[in-house]
Every structure is written in structure tokens, then in C-alpha cells.
């Protein structure tokens, strides 16, 4: 029996940030694209992914919807705090800081439910048809033909499109219904998180005040994305506003075992010198557990279907790369889909190029994050690692994206020579870490150690000197580390 189906150029499953980023990128190229979004929720629940880095803010700005960020909290920088001996003396906490100074771009801490809703409102205004709440009760897919039966508020909608994009996040609609497989990966992490109210002020738990931050940065230290680096795990502290703070831990599942995630989360907080004081009087909201954080689909498209955002892959939230990768994907997918509609021709090579490029980008991040968990608690090992990462990220991604807007869509990948360099550094840092464990040593830091990453994106001519400074910091950091190791050898003899 023939049915009358409403026809669209594109149907998107899921109405989160990935879906909206894609629609807005498409409309920049072709405002007449006929898109349907199916979103299952009536209103967005509390969502994770609350730190938006400068690069994603740049993307939002270029989409022409920067105004939505004014309702969010300005992120004032990034901090990494190390406390290898779990000391209650605040002077023993070593800090690696990147305050945000006035410059070309800045980041934000997001109320994600609000942000995703604002984005969805923007795309609706531009003509996207949204069915919400949408329950997909039947889906049939053949090459370049997707037919879905949707139930919404007691009505049935029969819809059809040439292309279907999965933006359903961790629900992973295509993976589930079409049995697409995931790659085998080495990284095996989990996460537990909650929102807190009434957390303690800095003088009860944080490192002593930082004059430079207070006088030069764009805002108070407490609104920075703060990472507590601990053995086999790291914590994020993200103040969403004056009341609510998001706190979560990501850990290596191979090394950190527990039966009950809530008990684990509360015990970890109680036993940690800084967290216990930060949260001594805080009220805690619902605790959420994600058993397996990373995964990567074996492929990102087929003829008539493609994945974007967390429906396809996710690696690790440290330094908040989630939304940035999604924006890069959105730009590339938008070009492919608009081109497909214009020419009515499937550009097989270009789609394959997209697939290979993004799978390479995930592989690069997997390598970096996987290695990092080996020495994540160590101040000098991990900051050496971060400094090397800063050189690559700022000179390879941030700077080109600011100077040449078309470069924005190229995600971070490594050349063969860079891969050799990364492998060497990983090998060296792991070796030093193992040696230190065998010798009962940790990073030797002076009281109140505070070092700056040198990362900034200033206006004017200074902008061009920063990558050179970052190279200098990375090289001197590494040499200092080797010197420390050399000295320790002589001390023994
Ligand atoms: C622990 C952790 C911390 C993170 N922190 C950060 C961070 O600080 N910064 C950052 O940039 N990223 C972070 N991320 C990644 C972050 O989750 C992503 O950036 C982003 O939320 C993914 O967006 P998305 O649109 O792909 O998925 P989602 O935001 O999950 O949106 C998917 C949407 O699809 C809908 N949906 C699902 N199934 C269906 C269905 N069958 N039918 C219809 N609708 C459906 C859902 O209701 C939802 O609205 C973090 C991830 C983890 C695991």
C-alpha cells in the first residue's frame, strides 16, 4: 500500500547541540534546505558537556548566534591542580594555570539544557521542522531512502528523506538499530558526576590566591575550568553560576574498581584532601554514572546515513574537546550534504575522505589521552605532556582557524613525523613514571608552585609570538624534567 509520506532533504534523529550545529552550518551554505529534527524529550534534562572552549565559541560566533552565549557564564581560564601526596597543606598543591586574558576569543561554562534549547530555537526560527516529543516506532532504510514512522502527542507522522543523520548522542540510534560496530580501542574509562550547591570558598580548599590572575584575567579564578589531577583519574570543577557547580570524575576502569558508583563517588570526595574541604557543607544533586566513556564507530557514514557528535564517537572530556569536534564535523557534513542536494550526485570520494579524516582525529586523541592516564597525577610529567600538546593544538588548530576561517573544519591529526615525536615522548614519560614508582619518588615541587602555560590568544601583533613562546615552554619543560632525572641518578650514587 502506498502511503503519503512527508518528504525532507534531511531527517536528524536527536535535537541536541550536534543537530543544531549541523543545521546552522547547512543554512550558511543553503538556506532552503528542508530539514526535520526528531527530539525525544519534551524539555532537555540536565546534560553533561558544560565547558565550552574558545574554539567552539569562535564557531558559535561565526554562525552569527553569539548572543546566545551572553546568557551563559564566562569561563576565566583553565587550571590543573596536582597533589601527589594528598596533603592537607594548601602549599603542597602545585598548579599549572592558563588564565584567560582579554583577547580574540573566550570560553564559557554552559547550562547545557538552556544552551541546547537556545540552539534548537534558533534552527526552528530558520525553518527547521521539529517534532517533539518524538518516538520513532518504525524505521526502514535502504540506500538513500530513509522511512520513519513517528509517534508524537498521540499523532503518527510518516516521514521520508534521502539522508538521515544520527545526532542522538549516547543513545546511538543508528548503531543500535542498524548494528553498526565499534572499533576496538585501548582506552577504558568511566565517569561519575553530580551538581553541587554551596561549595566552599577558595581559602578553605584551593591554592593560595593568585595575584596575576586576580589583576589580569577576564574574571575570577573560581569561574575557571579546574581539573584536579589524581592517580588514575581526574576531576573537573565547573562553576555554572553563583549557585551551582558541576563536579565529576573520569577514571581508568582498568585501575579503579567499585561496586556502587554513588558510594564510590562520595568516598572519593571524603578521602581527597581538597575535595573533602570544597564539598564539606555542599548539597549534592542526583549522581550520574557513565560506565564506558570512550567509543569510536567503525565508520561514520553509509549511502544515505551519517553520524555526528556522540552518536559516532567520544574519547575523553579532559580540556573539553567534545563540542569543538562536533563543530568541525558539522562544517564538513554541511558541505557534503549541500553538495549532494545541489548535484544530486553522491560524491563517494569526498565522503570517504571525511570518514578517514575524522577517524584519524579520534585515533590521535585516543593515543594522547590513553598515554596521559599513566602519569596523570604527576605534576612535572603531566605538565610536560600538556605543554607539548599546547604547541600542537595552538599552532596546528587554534591559530590556523583564527587566521583562515576555512581551516576551522580540520580536526587535530598527527603527521607521521609528529607521531614519532609523540611516541617517543609517551615512552619517555612512562619510563620515568615507572622508575619513580620503583624508587618511591614523586614530582619535587617547592611550596606554592604555580606555573603558567603561556597559552593566550591576544589581539594585535603579540598574537604571532605566542606559538614560539609555547615551543620554548615545551622544550624547556622537557629539558628540566630530564635534568631532574639526571640529578636523581647522581644522588643515588
Ligand atoms: C563525562 C563527560 C563530560 C563531558 N564534558 C564535556 C565538556 O565539558 N565540553 C564539551 O564540549 N563536551 C563534553 N562532553 C561531550 C558532550 O557530551 C558533547 O559535547 C555533547 O553533549 C554531545 O552532543 P550531541 O548533540 O552529540 O549529544 P546529546 O547532547 O546527548 O544530544 C542528543 C539528543 O538526542 C536525543 N535523542 C536520543 N535518542 C533519541 C531518539 N531515539 N529519538 C529522538 N531523539 C533522541 C536526546 O534527547 C538528546 O537531546 C562530555 C562528555 C562526557 C561523557
Amino acid at each position: 500500500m502506498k502511503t503519503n509520506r512527508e518528504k525532507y532533504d534531511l531527517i536528524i534523529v536527536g535535537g541536541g547541540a550536534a543537530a543544531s550545529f549541523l543545521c546552522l552550518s547547512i543554512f550558511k551554505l543553503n538556506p532552503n534546505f528542508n530539514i526535520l529534527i526528531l527530539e525525544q524529550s519534551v524539555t532537555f534534562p540536565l546534560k553533561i558537556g558544560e565547558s565550552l572552549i574558545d574554539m567552539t565559541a569562535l564557531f558559535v560566533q561565526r554562525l552569527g548566534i553569539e548572543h546566545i552565549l551572553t546568557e551563559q557564564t564566562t569561563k576565566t581560564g583553565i587550571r590543573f591542580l596536582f597533589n601527589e601526596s594528598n596533603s592537607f597543606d594548601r602549599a603542597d598543591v602545585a598548579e599549572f594555570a592558563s588564565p584567560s586574558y582579554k583577547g580574540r576569543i573566550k570560553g564559557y561554562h554552559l547550562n547545557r539544557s538552556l544552551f541546547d534549547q537556545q540552539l534548537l530555537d534558533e534552527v526552528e526560527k530558520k525553518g527547521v521542522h521539529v517534532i517533539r516529543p518524538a518516538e520513532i516506532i518504525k524505521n526502514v532504510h535502504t540506500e538513500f531512502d530513509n522511512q520513519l514512522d513517528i509517534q508524537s502527542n498521540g499523532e503518527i507522522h510518516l516521514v521520508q528523506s534521502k539522508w538521515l543523520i544520527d545526532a542522538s548522542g549516547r543513545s546511538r540510534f543508528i548503531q543500535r538499530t542498524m548494528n553498526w560496530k565499534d572499533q576496538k580501542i585501548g582506552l577504558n574509562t568511566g565517569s561519575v558526576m553530580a551538581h553541587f550547591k554551596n561549595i566552599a570558598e577558595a581559602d578553605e580548599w584551593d591554592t593560595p590566591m593568585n595575584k596575576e590572575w586576580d589583576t589580569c584575567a577576564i574574571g575570577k579564578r573560581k569561574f575557571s575550568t579546574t581539573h584536579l589531577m589524581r592517580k588514575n583519574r581526574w576531576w573537573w570543577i565547573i562553576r555554572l553560576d553563583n549557585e551551582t557547580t558541576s563536579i565529576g570524575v573520569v577514571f581508568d576502569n582498568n585501575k579503579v574498581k567499585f561496586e556502587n558508583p554513588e558510594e564510590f563517588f562520595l568516598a572519593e570526595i571524603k578521602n581527597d584532601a581538597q575535595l573533602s574541604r570544597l564539598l564539606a557543607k555542599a548539597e549534592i544533586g542526583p549522581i550520574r554514572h557513565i560506565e564506558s566513556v570512550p567509543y569510536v564507530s567503525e565508520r561514520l557514514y553509509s549511502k544515505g546515513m551519517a553520524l555526528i557528535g556522540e552518536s559516532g564517537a567520544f574519547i575523553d572530556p579532559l580540556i573539553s574537546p567534545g563540542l569543538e569536534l562536533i563543530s568541525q564535523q558539522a562544517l564538513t557534513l554541511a558541505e557534503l550534504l549541500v553538495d549532494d542536494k545541489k548535484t544530486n550526485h553522491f560524491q563517494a570520494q569526498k565522503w570517504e575522505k571525511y570518514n578517514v579524516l575524522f577517524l584519524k582525529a579520534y585515533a590521535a586523541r585516543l593515543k594522547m589521552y590513553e598515554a596521559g592516564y599513566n602519569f596523570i597525577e604527576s605534576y612535572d610529567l603531566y605538565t610536560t605532556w600538556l605543554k607539548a600538546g599546547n604547541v600542537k593544538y595552538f599552532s596546528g588548530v587554534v591559530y590556523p582557524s583564527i587566521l583562515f576561517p576555512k581551516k576551522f573544519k580540520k580536526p587535530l591529526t598527527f603527521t607521521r613525523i609528529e607521531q614519532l615525536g609523540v611516541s617517543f615522548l609517551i615512552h619517555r614519560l612512562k619510563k620515568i613514571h615507572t622508575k619513580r614508582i620503583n624508587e618511591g619518588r614523586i614530582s619535587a615541587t617547592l611550596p606554592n608552585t604555580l606555573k603558567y602555560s603561556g597559552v593566550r590568544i591576544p589581539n594585535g601583533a603579540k598574537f604571532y609570538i605566542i606559538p614560539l613562546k609555547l615551543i620554548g615552554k615545551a622544550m624547556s619543560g622537557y629539558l628540566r624534567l630530564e635534568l631532574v632525572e639526571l640529578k636523581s641518578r647522581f644522588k643515588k650514587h
Side-chain angles (χ1 to χ4, degrees):
M1 191 181 74
K2 250 191 155 180
T3 49
N4 275 337
R5 288 188 174 267
E6 281 172 57
K7 290 207 166 103
Y8 293 89
D9 295 325
L10 172 64
I11 296 175
I12 307 180
V13 180
S20 299
F21 278 1
L22 177 62
C23 293
L24 291 163
S25 305
I26 288 175
F27 288 144
K28 280 245 149 200
L29 303 173
N30 178 356
N32 298 319
F33 225 78
N34 186 15
I35 307 176
L36 170 68
I37 287 183
L38 305 171
E39 169 53 48
Q40 69 181 7
S41 67
V42 180
T43 52
F44 289 118
L46 275 185
K47 279 189 155 196
I48 41 176
E50 294 152 316
S51 162
L52 178 127
I53 51 175
D54 317 34
M55 277 285 282
T56 319
L58 178 65
F59 171 73
V60 171
Q61 191 182 320
R62 286 184 181 161
L63 286 176
I65 52 161
E66 203 185 1
H67 56 272
I68 69 171
L69 291 172
T70 55
E71 286 183 51
Q72 304 287 351
T73 298
T74 296
K75 169 193 182 115
T76 62
I78 303 182
R79 307 171 68 209
F80 293 87
L81 305 184
F82 298 81
N83 186 357
E84 269 179 271
S85 55
N86 197 26
S87 166
F88 279 82
D89 184 347
R90 294 196 289 143
D92 290 337
V93 177
E95 172 168 356
F96 185 65
S98 297
S100 293
Y101 303 98
K102 213 161 175 257
R104 295 184 188 226
I105 41 179
K106 61 180 182 180
Y108 291 84
H109 285 174
L110 301 175
N111 170 337
R112 269 304 292 272
S113 320
L114 171 66
F115 182 68
D116 286 30
Q117 187 55 52
Q118 288 171 313
L119 285 171
L120 196 57
D121 292 344
E122 288 291 331
V123 299
E124 263 195 288
K125 263 195 268 169
K126 291 193 188 310
V128 170
H129 184 199
V130 179
I131 301 184
R132 188 182 199 188
E135 188 194 344
I136 300 167
I137 49 176
K138 191 172 169 202
N139 55 308
V140 179
H141 310 275
T142 49
E143 264 187 20
F144 301 117
D145 184 37
N146 301 285
Q147 304 202 7
L148 292 97
D149 297 1
I150 315 298
Q151 185 167 298
S152 177
N153 292 324
E155 280 183 35
I156 302 289
H157 301 259
L158 306 179
V159 295
Q160 180 174 14
S161 65
K162 179 175 180 188
W163 281 94
L164 179 115
I165 298 283
D166 185 3
S168 66
R170 284 180 177 261
S171 300
R172 311 195 69 197
F173 175 75
I174 286 183
Q175 219 76 7
R176 242 181 332 102
T177 61
M178 304 298 292
N179 290 324
W180 287 18
K181 298 274 176 292
D182 280 343
Q183 295 180 21
K184 284 201 170 65
I185 55 172
L187 187 64
N188 175 19
T189 48
S191 180
V192 186
M193 70 221 70
H195 280 177
F196 292 81
K197 291 196 191 300
N198 290 329
I199 65 166
E201 287 304 322
D203 55 359
E204 293 190 38
W205 69 277
D206 204 349
T207 56
M209 290 316 285
N210 173 342
K211 272 205 191 109
E212 157 128 11
W213 194 301
D214 291 339
T215 47
C216 304
I218 56 173
K220 290 191 176 140
R221 216 169 50 140
K222 66 181 182 183
F223 286 107
S224 63
T225 306
T226 301
H227 305 87
L228 303 187
M229 312 307 284
R230 303 294 190 249
K231 197 165 174 52
N232 303 319
R233 71 207 79 189
W234 63 272
W235 291 76
W236 74 77
I237 303 173
I238 300 178
R239 271 203 190 227
L240 300 179
D241 51 42
N242 277 320
E243 270 198 356
T244 310
T245 303
S246 168
I247 297 181
V249 59
V250 184
F251 44 83
D252 182 346
N253 276 323
N254 298 323
K255 310 262 173 60
V256 179
K257 307 274 180 203
F258 53 82
E259 300 264 303
N260 179 319
E262 293 198 7
E263 282 172 14
F264 159 76
F265 192 61
L266 298 175
E268 288 272 306
I269 290 171
K270 193 171 153 210
N271 296 329
D272 186 274
Q274 282 182 283
L275 286 165
S276 56
R277 286 181 290 176
L278 172 72
L279 301 173
K281 294 183 188 138
E283 298 144 38
I284 183 169
I287 296 174
R288 182 171 168 192
H289 177 215
I290 296 179
E291 242 178 272
S292 190
V293 170
Y295 51 84
V296 183
S297 173
E298 273 185 357
R299 59 191 158 132
L300 299 174
Y301 79 99
S302 68
K303 290 179 175 171
M305 285 183 163
L307 310 174
I308 187 170
E310 269 189 30
S311 72
F314 186 72
I315 310 297
D316 195 284
L318 187 75
I319 330 188
S320 323
L323 290 167
E324 178 193 332
L325 258 165
I326 293 175
S327 47
Q328 289 160 333
Q329 259 185 319
L331 287 169
T332 312
L333 273 176
E335 281 184 3
L336 289 167
L337 291 164
V338 168
D339 194 43
D340 187 276
K341 179 175 156 97
K342 190 171 154 197
T343 58
N344 199 19
H345 173 64
F346 175 63
Q347 305 268 3
Q349 269 185 344
K350 286 188 181 168
W351 278 91
E352 194 45 32
K353 207 171 150 196
Y354 159 73
N355 192 52
V356 170
L357 179 66
F358 277 86
L359 291 182
K360 245 173 131 181
Y362 294 126
R365 281 167 199 257
L366 266 172
K367 187 166 181 168
M368 289 193 300
Y369 283 106
E370 200 182 326
Y373 277 92
N374 288 292
F375 41 80
I376 201 160
E377 79 284 8
S378 164
Y379 172 73
D380 56 1
L381 296 178
Y382 204 77
T383 54
T384 302
W385 186 230
L386 283 172
K387 284 176 197 166
N390 283 342
V391 171
K392 171 66 187 162
Y393 181 64
F394 279 84
S395 56
V397 178
V398 178
Y399 272 63
S401 301
I402 292 174
L403 293 172
F404 312 103
K406 285 210 158 153
K407 296 264 177 200
F408 185 101
K409 62 178 189 284
K410 191 172 178 309
L412 181 146
T413 51
F414 290 122
T415 61
R416 274 183 198 276
I417 291 181
E418 285 168 341
Q419 274 176 22
L420 287 177
V422 169
S423 297
F424 166 76
L425 191 57
I426 292 172
H427 171 75
R428 192 65 199 123
L429 295 176
K430 276 178 160 176
K431 203 166 165 193
I432 296 174
H433 188 250
T434 310
K435 191 161 163 260
R436 284 182 177 182
I437 291 176
N438 293 339
E439 294 170 3
R441 281 191 292 132
I442 57 173
S443 300
T445 55
L446 295 170
N448 298 323
T449 292
L450 166 62
K451 290 273 170 11
Y452 294 100
S453 70
V455 164
R456 56 192 299 185
I457 311 166
N459 290 309
K462 272 192 198 156
F463 175 79
Y464 299 95
I465 314 166
I466 301 295
L468 294 176
K469 277 193 166 173
L470 295 181
I471 292 173
K473 283 204 180 253
M475 286 176 67
S476 61
Y478 176 68
L479 292 175
R480 219 175 301 120
L481 177 69
E482 290 291 8
L483 207 61
V484 168
E485 290 311 297
L486 203 64
K487 273 189 196 161
S488 90
R489 265 171 78 176
F490 282 115
K491 256 192 208 160
K492 275 194 297 180
H493 296 300

